[in-house]
């Protein structure tokens, strides 16, 4: 409960709890960036006034319970299959707004085929892709996006490309597909980045609202627990290291998407 | 008279501390002596008068702990004048 | 509607359209690709959804997504594709969503071949994915029956909110027969209240198969099992022929069941009193009726295009009361009437029933 404090009459509310977020306390670890991005998605849904016609597709991974937090209709996909499920939903419900929320294991490993083909078909869906370079839920194993040299529970000596290949830049790959109209990478690691992330997510939803094609936003994030860093230190580490390998950029934006008022 | 005010939903807080680092006036700290219902040391405001209502804490908080208020534009300048006058008294 | 000459794969696809199919997602695989080809044009002309997916994995998950919206949706495939779908089938069963899948079985294991087979019986009836569930499995034996069963499949899927599989085989998909299609049914105007349609004026609908608390998941499983028990009690279907005076019983389904109809006819001409039980539902299995017939007949011959999979269910139903013989062909080979007849005669002789 909030402290019972009288708000002076000459004060206005500048931040309120988003309507599209449930009151549930999340299961995420302290400082987990999922909480920030969930909130941004909810704020965007509120601002666009689309809560009543939005259908979310939940991933497998730490965000598996996202439907407990974002207050819209939801389905729970099998690991990696969210874009296929979203395709099925959107094709039979073209007037609804359909989004997937996926992590790096879900989107960049087991679901690589589904995301690339959904993008290439130009499915009118929105994808929010959280990249924290590790498998959080299963205990900190290597993700496709794990940096070289990064120690995880399945790369005890650090990721070695001779053994485990190279980190994958998924947004750059998705931007190659003809059906994608908007592909961006942002970082929810500081205030400016969080604001830019929200703007990108809004643009990706708007692209769908206007029926333009596939839109995705990759969000660089942290995993304080499995990285073994406190949440603030994890953000600084991510800015320096993830940011160096995964440039923040808009990899694809069509003129129609560019013209959308965000 | 503070420029802003934050309300903290103490029992939502997981004590991650991100807000304590991001607050530009450094008035947020984890309360070392108390635990909330979830067993975390929740964040608290150390100086309510210094809050500027910037909502940085709300922007970075992963658990939507904060509700933020800011003094309306028309009264903000009056507050600022009062504050600088007080500062003048103290320094003088 | 007048009878017309129809290929099995085209017949079930067209029947599905007429029974109100709103969306089809599939991936080409022999011997059922004609269904996908037929629907590629047909669905679009009806302003309905057709999509060729990038894999069977994607296809079944598209089906899952569309089914969550409360529309009539299906896919069709054959063995290797069905294997890939197992993941999605389990999620569909776990979240209790109505879905229809046609499997035109082909020779296996592995890539096998494209000739007819019935070797996916275990897979379809007992283990179509991880976890405790059974789909309803319908087994048509003719082009007409596969048409009729499409309508039944959608009805059962929606009545019980369950997965319904149609167990065909390559010969059924490829054969042409005279059959009658149903008239076009109107599509429903509304979607069911459990579907995801946007939380407008109601609490959000969440469709999931995730229950992290063990007690909760056990409850879900108990509810699922109660539903399956209900299906077991009410939805057993089979065709029985000449069992009134039968001393021997043939048990076979689908294409093997058709072959056994000829076997029975010829055996009767030779004076062997044989009847036929052809299961139309492989799950639930007509175990009770087979058990009853075991009080009457002296022996059973099971015929399958497999190494003997339904055989285990017949064996279980018979409970050791009568001897059971098996005639099976594998690898895409189809049982020949003469060979089955010879086995039946041998069984009759061994029981002192030879005329």
């Amino acid at each position: 409960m909030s402290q019972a404090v009288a708000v002076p009459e000459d004060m206005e509310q500048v931040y309120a709890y988003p309507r599209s977020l449930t009151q549930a306390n999340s299961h995420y670890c302290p400082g987990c960036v999922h909480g920030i991005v969930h909130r941004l998605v909810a704020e965007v849904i509120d601002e666009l006034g689309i809560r009543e016609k939005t259908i979310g597709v939940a991933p497998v991974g730490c965000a598996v319970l996202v439907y407990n937090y974002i207050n819209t209709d939801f389905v729970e996909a099998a690991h990696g299959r969210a874009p296929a499920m979203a395709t099925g939903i959107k094709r039979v419900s073209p007037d609804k707004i359909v989004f997937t929320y996926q992590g790096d294991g879900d989107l960049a490993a087991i679901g690589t085929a589904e995301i690339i083909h959904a993008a290439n078909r130009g499915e009118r869906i929105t994808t929010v892709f959280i990249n924290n370079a590790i498998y959080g839920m299963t205990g900190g194993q290597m993700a496709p996006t794990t940096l070289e040299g990064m120690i995880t529970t399945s790369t005890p000596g650090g990721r070695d490309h001779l053994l485990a290949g190279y980190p994958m830049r998924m947004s750059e790959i998705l931007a190659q597909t003809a059906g994608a109209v908007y592909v961006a990478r942002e970082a929810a690691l500081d205030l400016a980045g969080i604001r830019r992330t929200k703007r990108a997510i809004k643009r990706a939803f708007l692209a769908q609202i206007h029926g333009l094609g596939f839109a995705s936003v990759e969000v660089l994030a942290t995993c304080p627990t499995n990285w073994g860093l406190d949440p603030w230190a994890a953000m600084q580490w991510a800015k320096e290291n993830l940011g160096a390998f995964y440039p923040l950029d808009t990899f694809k934006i069509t003129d129609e998407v560019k013209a959308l008022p965000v | 008279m503070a420029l802003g005010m934050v309300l903290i939903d103490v029992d939502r807080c997981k004590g991650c501390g991100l807000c304590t680092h991001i607050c530009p006036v450094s008035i947020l700290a984890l309360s070392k002596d108390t635990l909330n219902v979830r067993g975390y040391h929740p964040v608290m405001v150390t100086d309510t008068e210094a809050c500027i209502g910037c909502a940085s804490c709300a922007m970075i908080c992963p658990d939507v702990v904060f509700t933020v208020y800011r003094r309306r534009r028309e009264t903000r300048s009056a507050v600022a004048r009062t504050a600088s006058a007080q500062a003048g008294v103290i320094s003088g | 509607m007048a009878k017309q000459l129809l290929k099995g794969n085209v017949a079930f696809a067209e029947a599905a359209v007429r029974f109100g199919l709103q969306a089809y997602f599939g991936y080409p695989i022999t011997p059922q690709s004609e269904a996908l080809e037929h629907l590629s044009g047909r669905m679009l002309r009806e302003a309905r959804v057709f999509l060729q997916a990038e894999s069977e994995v994607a296809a079944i998950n598209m089906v899952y997504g569309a089914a969550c919206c409360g529309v009539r949706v299906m896919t069709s495939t054959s063995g290797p594709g069905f294997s890939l779908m197992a993941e999605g089938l389990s999620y569909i069963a776990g979240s209790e969503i109505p879905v229809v899948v046609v499997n035109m079985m082909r020779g296996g294991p592995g890539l096998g071949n494209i000739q007819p087979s019935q070797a996916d019986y275990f897979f379809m009836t007992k283990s179509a994915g991880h976890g405790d569930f059974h789909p309803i499995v319908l087994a048509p034996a003719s082009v007409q029956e596969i048409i009729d069963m499409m309508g039944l499949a959608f009805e059962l899927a929606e009545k019980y909110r369950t997965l319904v599989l149609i167990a065909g085989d390559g010969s059924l998909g490829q054969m042409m027969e005279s059959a009658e299609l149903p008239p076009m049914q109107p599509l429903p105007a509304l979607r069911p209240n459990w579907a995801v349609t946007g939380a407008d004026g109601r609490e959000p609908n969440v469709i999931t198969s995730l229950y992290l608390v063990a007690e909760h998941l056990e409850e879900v499983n108990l509810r699922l099992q109660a539903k399956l028990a209900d299906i077991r009690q009410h939805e057993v279907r089979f065709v029985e022929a000449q069992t009134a005076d039968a001393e021997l019983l043939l048990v076979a389904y689908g294409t093997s069941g058709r072959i056994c109809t000829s076997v029975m006819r010829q055996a009767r001409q030779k004076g062997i009193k044989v009847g036929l039980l052809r299961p139309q539902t492989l799950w639930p299995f007509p175990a009770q009726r087979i058990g009853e017939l075991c009080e009457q007949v002296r022996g059973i011959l099971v015929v399958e295009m497999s190494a003997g999979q339904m055989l285990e269910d017949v064996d279980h139903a018979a409970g050791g009361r009568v001897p059971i013989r098996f005639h099976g062909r594998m690898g895409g080979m189809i049982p020949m009437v003469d060979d089955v007849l010879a086995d039946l005669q041998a069984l009759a002789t061994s029981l002192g029933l030879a005329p």
Side-chain angles (χ1 to χ4, degrees), chain C residues 182-304:
Chain C
M184 278 296 267
Q185 271 188 17
L187 298 183
L190 293 173
R191 295 190 178 181
N193 58 10
W194 52 260
V196 288
T197 53
D200 194 1
R202 60 160 169 77
E203 287 297 301
N205 284 342
V206 174
I207 296 176
T208 181
S209 56
L210 177 73
Y211 301 92
L212 289 170
V213 179
E215 286 86 348
H216 195 179
L217 183 55
E218 188 178 47
E219 262 173 46
V220 169
N221 268 279
L222 287 170
R223 197 185 70 225
L224 196 57
Q225 289 302 316
K227 180 163 83 176
L228 294 177
D230 193 25
I231 294 171
R232 216 188 282 255
Q233 196 181 340
H234 295 105
E235 304 301 343
V236 173
R237 287 171 168 78
F238 54 89
V239 171
E240 220 175 291
Q242 307 206 27
T243 49
D245 65 341
E247 294 175 325
L248 294 176
L249 182 67
L250 284 159
V251 183
Y253 69 94
T255 296
S256 298
R258 276 175 85 123
I259 291 163
C260 285
T261 307
S262 301
V263 172
M264 180 180 66
R265 204 176 300 126
Q266 293 191 20
R268 284 270 171 182
Q269 282 167 4
K270 290 179 187 293
I272 300 173
K273 288 182 177 170
V274 60
L276 168 68
L277 187 140
R278 176 169 71 80
Q280 291 171 300
T281 52
L282 303 181
W283 199 94
F285 190 70
Q288 192 186 328
R289 183 58 190 149
I290 289 172
E292 287 163 10
L293 286 168
C294 285
E295 299 297 330
Q296 174 195 326
V297 301
R298 302 272 305 278
I300 294 176
L301 179 63
V302 175
V303 182
E304 289 180 77

Side-chain angles (χ1 to χ4, degrees), chain C residues 341-352:
Chain C
L341 188 58
D343 273 6
L344 189 70
Q345 281 176 309
L347 175 62
T349 305
S350 72
L351 295 168

Side-chain angles (χ1 to χ4, degrees), chain A residues 51-55 64-65 67 71-79 81 84-85 87-89 91-93 96 113-114 117 121 123, chain C residues 23 25 49 51 54 57-58 61-62 64-66 68-69 71 87 91 191 195-200 202 204-208 210 212:
Chain A
R51 192 190 77 86
E52 285 73 19
K53 60 173 184 174
T54 296
I55 300 169
V64 71
L65 293 170
Y67 52 74
N71 199 11
T72 63
D73 272 10
F74 251 100
V75 298
E76 171 59 63
H79 199 18
R81 317 296 176 225
M85 246 188 131
T87 298
I89 293 168
R91 293 285 178 127
V92 301
S93 314
K96 306 300 177 197
E114 284 78 11
H117 285 277
R121 284 191 304 267
E123 294 296 339
Chain C
F25 303 91
V49 174
L51 185 60
E54 64 269 27
V57 175
N61 284 287
M62 290 172 185
Y64 182 24
C68 288
C69 298
V71 301
E87 174 194 68
Y91 281 71
R191 295 190 178 181
V196 288
T197 53
D200 194 1
R202 60 160 169 77
N205 284 342
V206 174
I207 296 176
T208 181
L210 177 73
L212 289 170

Side-chain angles (χ1 to χ4, degrees), chain C residues 9 44 53 71 93 112 126 150 175-176 181 204 261:
Chain C
N9 285 331
L44 298 188
V71 301
K126 300 182 195 303
M150 284 312 302
M175 71 167 66
M176 292 190 81
L181 286 161
T261 307

Side-chain angles (χ1 to χ4, degrees), chain C residues 67-82:
Chain C
C68 288
C69 298
V71 301
R72 279 197 171 174
V73 54
M74 69 176 288
T75 186
S76 54
T77 187
S78 185
F82 193 70

Side-chain angles (χ1 to χ4, degrees), chain A residues 10 12 14 26 28 39, chain B residues 14 59 61 68 70-72:
Chain A
D10 64 340
E12 60 188 340
V14 289
S26 83
Y28 297 116
R39 197 190 73 227
Chain B
K14 293 176 186 156
M59 278 302 283
C61 178
V68 185
R70 188 163 37 197
R71 216 164 281 282
R72 289 180 211 283

Side-chain angles (χ1 to χ4, degrees), chain A residues 1 7 9-15 17 21 23-26 28 30-32 35-36 39 191 194 231-232, chain B residues 2 5 9 12 14 16 18 21-22 38 56 58-64 66-72 75:
Chain A
M1 286 300 293
V7 179
E9 270 178 21
D10 64 340
M11 280 201 181
E12 60 188 340
Q13 197 165 354
V14 289
Y15 190 79
Y17 200 97
L21 215 54
Q23 291 293 322
N25 283 321
S26 83
Y28 297 116
C32 177
I36 299 174
R39 197 190 73 227
L191 290 178
I194 290 168
W232 181 255
Chain B
M5 185 169 92
D9 192 342
R12 289 188 73 87
K14 293 176 186 156
C16 75
L18 287 176
H21 292 278
I22 213 81
R38 310 179 76 189
S56 297
M59 278 302 283
I60 205 156
C61 178
D63 293 288
V64 206
F66 300 97
T67 306
V68 185
Y69 296 88
R70 188 163 37 197
R71 216 164 281 282
R72 289 180 211 283
T75 55

